[in-house]
Amino acid sequence: MALVAAAPLLRQARREGYAVGAFNANNMELVQAIVGAAEELGAPVILQASQGALRYAGLGYVWALAREAAWSARVPVAVHLDHGTDFAQILRCLRAGFTSVMVDGSSLPLAQNIALTRRVVEIAHPLGVSVEAELGRIGGREDELAVAAREAFLTDPDEAVFFVRETGVDALAVAIGTAHGHYHGEPRLDWPRLERIARLVDLPLVLHGSSGLPEEAVREAIRRGVAKVNIDTDVREAFVRGLAAALEADPAESDPRKILGPAREAAKAVVREKIRLFGAAGKG
Ligand code: G3H
Ligand code: 13P
Ligand code: ZN
């Protein structure tokens, strides 16, 4: 049984200079791919479900799949709500048994973001559940938010100090120029900003929109205090490519397992690659 809170995993990662991979899952095969890859590499891992995932599969199914994977895993697994914007839904995840939640008040004015985040911390911490919050706005596809990359606001380092002190969060998602989904052209990340945030904020920092980043950029972010790296797009694309290849190899295939099995393997290969890149292999 290896269902654990995220905060201790992330604190250790920041201390030791690596990052825990946080991968989005929407179905059983993705859950198995993520936890299977982590087990093969002896790495801690975070299984995360977006609001879209909860809508697609239902909280009950998502939780049952994630809990089973975590309980039977030989490595520590945290089960996390990704970009929670709805207070009631965050409460439902806490009641289900999630060990970590992200409260995303990034579209709110600062005072309201602080108030919402603090309210979640006050409820989650006595239950042993970790809380991630977002300050600034990360560009690209976001649940229920469409933020054009150029309009996204980057995290202000001094505001970050204030935010962390006022809310008591365990991890902070920072906006330094990453965007969800695909990059059009080379992403330009604000390294001095990340450096300054990391110097002022002694918490694990979270990098969203990490698919498609050059490997060296990911390593650089980890060197500068990022301890949780979120990946969705790269894994979902590998899954779909695996699925398409299986169908192409035999268009008459009518057994879903013969299509979903290869898709699961393709997703797992990408998760393995990312965990190695993050330096988390052998840390579980
Ligand atoms: O940050 C967003 C995640 O990639 C989730 O995407 O809402 O399509 O599940 P989704
Ligand atoms: P990508 O889809 O760009 O990897 O972003 C994932 C993410 O940030 C989930 O919160
Ligand atoms: Zn995100």
Side-chain angles (χ1 to χ4, degrees), residues 22-24 48 50 80-83 102 104 132 134 138-139 141-143 178-183 206-213 228-236 274:
F23 301 95
N24 288 67
Q48 58 188 18
S50 68
H80 176 77
L81 169 67
D82 188 29
H83 292 286
M102 175 183 187
D104 183 350
E132 171 186 339
E134 178 175 326
I138 294 153
R141 161 178 52 73
E142 236 182 283
D143 292 344
T178 59
H180 292 107
H182 290 286
Y183 287 95
V206 183
L207 195 68
H208 283 247
S210 308
S211 291
L213 288 179
K228 174 176 182 271
V229 179
N230 282 16
I231 298 278
D232 187 1
T233 303
D234 281 347
V235 175
R236 60 163 92 175
K274 300 290 180 185

Side-chain angles (χ1 to χ4, degrees), residues 72-273:
S72 55
R74 297 181 300 273
V75 290
V77 180
V79 178
H80 176 77
L81 169 67
D82 188 29
H83 292 286
T85 55
D86 175 10
F87 183 70
Q89 186 182 52
I90 291 172
L91 293 186
R92 285 194 288 276
C93 289
L94 294 176
R95 191 169 87 143
F98 279 48
T99 57
S100 181
V101 291
M102 175 183 187
V103 47
D104 183 350
S106 62
S107 65
L108 303 172
L110 179 64
Q112 286 177 41
N113 188 357
I114 289 175
L116 173 65
T117 303
R118 191 193 288 151
R119 206 162 149 225
V120 171
V121 168
E122 278 168 7
I123 296 166
H125 277 181
L127 303 173
V129 174
S130 318
V131 181
E132 171 186 339
E134 178 175 326
L135 185 64
R137 288 180 75 176
I138 294 153
R141 161 178 52 73
E142 236 182 283
D143 292 344
E144 267 116 50
L145 302 172
V147 191
R150 66 184 178 283
E151 284 170 38
F153 302 96
L154 302 187
T155 307
D156 179 89
D158 297 314
E159 212 165 86
V161 176
F162 180 67
F163 183 88
V164 161
R165 202 176 41 226
E166 290 296 302
T167 58
V169 283
D170 302 290
L172 185 68
V174 291
I176 57 160
T178 59
H180 292 107
H182 290 286
Y183 287 95
H184 309 288
E186 181 86 359
R188 284 200 321 273
L189 306 191
D190 190 337
W191 297 121
R193 183 180 298 271
L194 178 59
E195 174 103 41
R196 187 157 158 72
I197 297 169
R199 207 167 341 108
L200 297 172
V201 175
D202 187 26
L203 279 185
L205 303 177
V206 183
L207 195 68
H208 283 247
S210 308
S211 291
L213 288 179
E215 292 197 350
E216 194 38 42
V218 174
R219 284 193 205 96
E220 186 64 37
I222 295 170
R223 276 196 291 273
R224 293 177 190 238
V226 164
K228 174 176 182 271
V229 179
N230 282 16
I231 298 278
D232 187 1
T233 303
D234 281 347
V235 175
R236 60 163 92 175
E237 287 187 349
F239 185 83
V240 172
R241 274 197 306 274
L243 201 125
L247 266 181
E248 201 178 295
D250 185 359
E253 182 56 68
S254 61
D255 182 344
R257 294 169 298 188
K258 303 272 171 58
I259 303 159
L260 292 169
R264 178 173 60 193
E265 283 311 305
K268 194 175 178 185
V270 171
V271 176
R272 260 197 309 261
E273 217 175 83

